[in-house]
Amino acid sequence: MTTWYYRNGGKENGPVSPSELLELIRKGTVVPETELRKDDNRWLIASDVNGLWEAASRPSVGFKCPYCSKAIEKPPCVCKSCSRQINKATGHLVMHPLSRTPEKSLRPDLD
């Protein structure tokens, strides 16, 4: 499985899965200037990773507990909010507005 590492302020964090990396982008923890490394490869500036921001902005499928309406993992699971066993739930699209997207000026090769 692919793992990612990220560096903010010189501190290395990780490993994180690809889905966790996308969530870090959505939360604004990973920004275009953040350094990223895939597995044991060299460090890159996040804005230089092709398709990363596009992937983070795509809608994903989310699930809600049919009892308390809180977000849950994909069933079967136990709702962390109401502690009920959930075997089935209806999925819905979750939109992901990004706090920051790379600007063209960050990518001189595209100017």
Side-chain angles (χ1 to χ4, degrees):
M1 179 175 118
T2 299
T3 55
W4 289 88
Y5 298 84
Y6 63 99
R7 248 186 337 210
N8 283 335
K11 182 180 180 232
E12 185 174 322
N13 300 283
V16 296
S17 69
S19 60
E20 290 170 324
L21 177 62
L22 296 179
E23 192 57 35
L24 290 169
I25 292 170
R26 293 173 187 138
K27 291 179 180 176
T29 303
V30 171
V31 296
E33 299 83 16
T34 301
E35 293 178 281
L36 295 177
R37 178 169 60 87
K38 182 179 176 183
D39 298 322
D40 289 331
N41 294 311
R42 67 184 177 90
W43 289 98
L44 298 169
I45 302 301
S47 62
D48 289 341
V49 178
N50 289 332
L52 189 58
W53 260 256
E54 292 84 357
S57 65
R58 281 190 211 118
S60 63
V61 176
F63 297 92
K64 288 187 179 180
C65 174
Y67 302 103
C68 69
S69 298
K70 300 290 184 184
I72 58 171
E73 298 173 13
K74 183 178 179 182
C77 66
V78 173
C79 176
K80 292 178 183 175
S81 180
C82 69
S83 301
R84 293 188 185 199
Q85 175 67 38
I86 310 298
N87 293 314
K88 290 185 180 183
T90 303
H92 62 279
L93 282 181
V94 177
M95 303 306 288
H96 300 289
L98 301 179
S99 60
R100 255 182 93 192
T101 57
E103 298 175 17
K104 209 174 189 186
S105 62
L106 293 174
R107 302 279 313 265
D109 57 318
L110 297 177
D111 287 341

